[in-house]
Amino acid sequence: MSTTQNLPNRFTIRVYGLLIENGALLLSKENIKGGIYTKLPGGGLEFGEGTLDCLRREFIEEAGIAVNPSQHFYTTEDYVKSGFGYQAQVLSIYYRVNTQESNRLPLGDADNLTLLKEHGDQILFWKKLSALSPADVDLPIDKKVIELLLKAQ
C-alpha cells in the first residue's frame, strides 16, 4: 500500500489444516456473516494460544475430531487485507494434519445450502484431489494453498 493511513490497524491470524485421506481433501462450506464460502477447516488464533493448539481446537470445534499436525505447509507471504469488512491484515498458517477419528466426521451434502441458514453453520465434505482445483475454494489464500498442494502431489 502506498500510504500508512490506508493500512489496517491490527492483525488477524488464521490457522488451517489440510486433512487428506484416501486421495481426498476435507473442505468446509460455511455461512460467514451471511455469505457462503468453501474453505479449508480452521479459524482464528486466540490470545495466549499457540498455532498448533489453535489448529487442534478449531478441528474439535468445527469437526468434532482430534487432529495431529504433522507438517507446516504454508504461511502467508504477501499482504492480505481482510475481506470481511473490518480493518485487519490477515496472516494465515497452514499445516498438514492427520487423525485416527475421520470416521467420526459429521459429513454432509455440500450442495444442500438450506443447511447454511445462520452465521457459523457449516457442511464438511471430502473433495477428491484428482478433481480439485483452486476454483473449488473461495478465500484467496486458500486458492494459493490448493495450487501449491496440487503441485506437491
Side-chain angles (χ1 to χ4, degrees), residues 28-39 84 113-123 138:
S28 177
K29 190 168 280 194
E30 299 181 25
N31 181 323
I32 302 173
K33 297 183 178 183
I36 306 300
Y37 300 89
T38 301
K39 59 183 264 317
F84 291 106
L113 301 184
T114 62
L115 300 173
L116 302 174
K117 293 178 182 169
E118 297 180 16
H119 172 74
D121 289 347
Q122 71 168 3
I123 302 166
D138 295 308

Side-chain angles (χ1 to χ4, degrees), residues 30-99:
E30 299 181 25
N31 181 323
I32 302 173
K33 297 183 178 183
I36 306 300
Y37 300 89
T38 301
K39 59 183 264 317
L40 292 160
L45 183 74
E46 296 178 356
F47 284 104
E49 185 176 54
T51 58
L52 298 181
D53 290 333
C54 172
L55 186 60
R56 289 181 188 107
R57 176 184 53 75
E58 286 289 341
F59 264 83
I60 288 170
E61 288 177 3
E62 292 185 9
I65 63 168
V67 296
N68 302 307
S70 62
Q71 177 187 21
H72 172 264
F73 186 79
Y74 179 76
T75 297
T76 307
E77 297 171 334
D78 299 314
Y79 169 79
V80 178
K81 183 177 184 280
S82 173
F84 291 106
Y86 59 93
Q87 285 292 98
Q89 179 173 339
V90 179
L91 177 70
S92 295
I93 305 167
Y94 295 79
Y95 292 94
R96 288 183 182 264
V97 299
N98 55 58
T99 185

Side-chain angles (χ1 to χ4, degrees), residues 11-32:
F11 289 97
T12 181
I13 301 170
R14 316 296 293 174
V15 186
Y16 298 98
L18 300 164
L19 178 59
I20 300 171
E21 290 190 5
N22 302 316
L25 176 67
L26 185 67
L27 293 175
S28 177
K29 190 168 280 194
E30 299 181 25
N31 181 323
I32 302 173

Side-chain angles (χ1 to χ4, degrees), residues 103-117:
N103 62 325
R104 295 182 48 223
L105 282 166
L107 300 173
D109 177 2
D111 294 325
N112 186 356
L113 301 184
T114 62
L115 300 173
L116 302 174
K117 293 178 182 169

